[in-house]
Amino acid sequence: MYPYYQSLSTEDKEIYVNICTAIETFDYAMDFGKFDTYKEAREMKNKAVEIYSALIYEQPQYFWIDPYGCRYSIVEEKGNKFTFYATGILSPKEAKEKKEIFDKKVSEIVSEAKAKADAYSQILYVHDEILNNTSYDYELSKEINKSNQNIFTAYLSDDEPQHTTDIKQTAYGCLIDGKTVCSGYSLAFNLIMQELGYECGAVRNKALSTSITFLGDGHVSNYCKIDNEYYYFDLTWDDVDDSGYYKQYFDYTYENFAITKQEFTKRHLIEENVYAPDGQSLKYDYYVKNKMYFEKYDFESVKESILSQSSKNYVVLKFGDYSETLKAQTELLENRKILSLIGEKELTYVIPEFSTFLYIFF
C-alpha cells in the first residue's frame, strides 16, 4: 500500500509514523529530542524534511497541511534540541471541522464503489464520480505557475513561512469544493483507491506538448495496482472542461484510464527519483473493455464498434500504433468509407497529439 514507507529503514519508519501522528492530532510541532552534536541534529532535520515531503504522496488525507512550508529549530544551549514544525493551511479548529465533512464524503464514495461488482466497475465509478463533480481551476493554475509552486516539495524557513498553498490544490478541493488543479485530482483519486484497498500513488511528471522537445508545466498523475498489474491514470487530462471539439459531445474522456506505462510516457515525462512501476497490461484499459480498441486497423474489425457508437453522433477508436490510426483516418474519412455505415453526414475528426485515438464527429 505504501511503497515509500516500506522502502525506509526501521528508524526512518518511526520518523514517518511520528510525523503522521503529529499531523493527525493537529499538533504541528514534533520534538525529536537532543543530539550529541549540532551536525547530528542537522542531519536529522534533513531526514525529517525528506520524509515530510514524500509522505504527502502516500497520505493524501492530510489536506490541512501545507506541503510547501516546514520550520525547525535546533537549540544548542539545550543540548542540540531539535524541533520540527509542519505548517498548517488551516487552524486546528478549521481543520477538524473540514475533516469531518471530508471524511463523510470519502466514506460515501468508497461505500458506493465497494457495492460495484468488480475491480473495473469500482475504478470506473471513482473516475466518473470525481470528474462529474469537479472542474479544473484555470485561474489557480495560472497563479501556481507564476509562483513556480510545487505541491510535493517542502521548503524550510527559520521564519514563519508565507502560506501560498490553496486548499483547492488538495483532495479536499477536489472532493468538497469541486474545483481544483492536477494535484487535487491526483490526491483525491489516490486516497479513494487506497481506501478501497488498492495500492495507488502519485507520479510527478512534465507534460509533453506541441513538439517532443517542449516540456509543459509540472504535473502529477497516478499509478494504481489492480490484480497484480500496474496501470496509469490521469484524471486531470480526462477532464475536458474547455476543449472545444470534445465539450459539445461529452464532459470527459477515458484516454488516460488504466493505460500502460509505455502509453503514459508518450505524453508524460516522469521526473527523476519518482516511484513509477512498470505496467504493460491492457486488461482494464477503458477502450479495450468497451471494444473500441484495435491493435491494427481494418474496416471489418472496426465496423461493429462504429455501428454501436453511431447513435451518439460520434465515434471513438483507439489503435495499437499511430500508423494504424492514420490508416483508419485515410480509409474511413478521406475515402469516406464510414458513410457506408452511418449514412450521408458531415464529418469532422480529431487525432489528439501524441496519441493513437481517432475521434469522428458528425
Side-chain angles (χ1 to χ4, degrees), residues 37-57:
T37 65
Y38 183 80
K39 181 183 177 183
E40 289 176 335
R42 291 280 301 184
E43 288 172 352
M44 179 57 77
K45 178 269 295 182
N46 292 337
K47 181 69 68 176
V49 173
E50 178 186 324
I51 292 172
Y52 175 78
S53 295
L55 183 150
I56 301 298
Y57 291 127

Side-chain angles (χ1 to χ4, degrees), residues 81-98:
K81 185 175 183 296
F82 169 50
T83 307
F84 180 81
Y85 304 89
T87 303
I89 297 173
L90 306 169
S91 70
K93 181 176 182 295
E94 290 175 306
K96 289 174 186 176
E97 290 171 353
K98 289 187 183 297

Side-chain angles (χ1 to χ4, degrees), residues 13-41:
K13 283 178 179 175
E14 187 175 343
I15 297 171
Y16 183 111
V17 171
N18 287 342
I19 293 174
C20 288
T21 301
I23 293 171
E24 287 170 5
T25 56
F26 306 98
D27 180 6
Y28 304 152
M30 290 156 250
D31 184 358
F32 281 81
K34 299 177 181 180
F35 293 81
D36 291 337
T37 65
Y38 183 80
K39 181 183 177 183
E40 289 176 335

Side-chain angles (χ1 to χ4, degrees), residues 262-306:
Q262 180 183 17
E263 183 175 356
F264 180 79
T265 53
K266 286 179 183 176
R267 293 192 281 176
H268 301 77
L269 181 68
I270 298 172
E271 291 186 10
E272 292 183 13
N273 303 317
V274 167
Y275 181 67
D278 192 23
Q280 301 178 28
S281 174
L282 293 170
K283 180 179 177 182
Y284 288 111
D285 182 301
Y286 177 86
Y287 299 93
V288 172
K289 292 288 285 187
N290 289 277
K291 300 180 179 177
M292 300 154 73
Y293 172 83
F294 304 89
E295 191 64 32
K296 296 190 175 294
Y297 169 77
D298 74 77
F299 184 71
E300 290 303 315
S301 296
V302 302
K303 186 162 66 173
E304 186 178 339
S305 182
I306 291 171

